[in-house]
Amino acid sequence: MIPSRSIALIADDHELFKAGLAAVLKDELGFDEVVDVDTLDEAIERLHRHPEISLATFDISMSGVMNVASLQIVRQEFPYLQLAVVSGSDSREDILKALSIGLNGYVPKTMSIDDVVSALRVIKSGQVYVPPLMMKPEPAMSSPPVSYPHSPEIADPAQLTPRQRQVLEFIAQGKSNKEIARILSLSDGTVKVHVNALFRTLGVHNRVSAAAALNTFSRP
């Protein structure tokens, strides 16, 4: 029997960084193949298409991602995936949010290559990686901490990602998932992921309630 190939995914819109990280994943962590994408939608599509992907890294500043909380839909859709943020942000709030939604780690791009390799090894093994900066005393805050509303109590479409808002507007027009997928050139599965995510954000359980939430907050 031919052994399965180990595959990783990089979701980042910085081409040079993707090339460097792909080399690390292949040369240092032993992955046979590395798939790279530029947007959250592309990442979800690839993960559905290639269930053999075992590790995925996401930059939280790429297209389709509002903040760390946007990755909650990936965590919930692919619960057995080793999933981590690799980002230029070293915000404590971002790191804590990533850990709170069940990601396997947070790797700041400011770390040395050796430290990035060590961090990704921890994540690949199924453990949770917490960057050393979280061990330092927390500085006095000069501004309120960033919040990431996603609980059912918050029913405001403004908290949706741009793609989720777009899907919600089509739902309000009475379009089915298949119709939305055709219009946006996405797979049915990716549209379903966005629909489930916006339901959770709005605290609703069906399309009628979701459309009602949009109509409520659209009023002047």
Side-chain angles (χ1 to χ4, degrees):
M1 184 172 68
I2 300 175
S4 59
R5 291 171 58 81
S6 58
I7 305 177
L9 178 141
I10 302 171
D12 195 303
D13 56 9
H14 191 289
E15 293 298 326
L16 186 59
F17 180 81
K18 282 194 295 190
L21 184 55
V24 165
L25 291 169
K26 288 181 177 179
D27 299 341
E28 302 293 339
L29 275 77
F31 281 97
D32 298 311
E33 182 180 347
V34 176
V35 177
D36 68 84
V37 297
D38 298 327
T39 70
L40 181 59
D41 279 344
E42 288 179 298
I44 294 170
E45 297 267 354
R46 290 298 186 93
L47 289 169
H48 275 299
R49 200 181 312 156
H50 299 287
E52 64 272 32
I53 292 173
S54 60
L55 181 146
T57 69
F58 282 77
D59 183 6
I60 56 174
S61 64
M62 70 176 183
S63 177
V65 178
M66 286 179 61
N67 49 48
V68 179
S70 300
L71 300 183
Q72 190 168 26
I73 63 173
V74 183
R75 174 75 292 160
Q76 292 169 334
E77 185 72 9
F78 306 98
Y80 301 110
L81 179 69
Q82 303 305 328
L83 176 60
V85 170
V86 179
S87 173
S89 167
D90 58 3
S91 160
R92 296 176 71 94
E93 289 80 19
D94 287 341
I95 296 169
L96 289 171
K97 187 62 189 178
L99 300 176
S100 74
I101 63 175
L103 303 195
N104 297 89
Y106 192 108
V107 184
K109 290 182 179 179
T110 52
M111 292 170 55
S112 69
I113 293 177
D114 288 344
D115 287 342
V116 169
V117 171
S118 297
L120 292 175
R121 280 205 180 103
V122 170
I123 293 164
K124 183 185 178 185
S125 72
Q127 302 178 66
V128 175
Y129 176 79
V130 181
L133 69 88
M134 295 302 289
M135 303 300 111
K136 298 178 182 178
E138 188 171 2
M141 290 188 299
S142 58
S143 59
V146 178
S147 62
Y148 298 98
H150 64 277
S151 65
E153 292 78 16
I154 297 168
D156 184 353
Q159 307 302 336
L160 302 175
T161 67
R163 178 64 88 192
Q164 291 164 9
R165 174 69 184 237
Q166 194 175 28
V167 170
L168 177 56
E169 289 173 349
F170 283 127
I171 287 175
Q173 295 171 22
K175 297 189 182 301
S176 67
N177 284 4
K178 287 186 178 294
E179 291 173 318
I180 296 171
R182 185 171 62 251
I183 294 169
L184 298 179
S185 299
L186 299 174
S187 70
D188 291 354
T190 299
V191 172
K192 182 179 178 181
V193 169
H194 287 309
V195 170
N196 289 339
L198 69 87
F199 279 9
R200 283 191 296 270
T201 299
L202 298 176
V204 300
H205 302 286
N206 55 57
R207 302 168 85 87
V208 173
S209 298
L214 176 63
N215 291 333
T216 297
F217 283 91
S218 297
R219 292 171 186 167

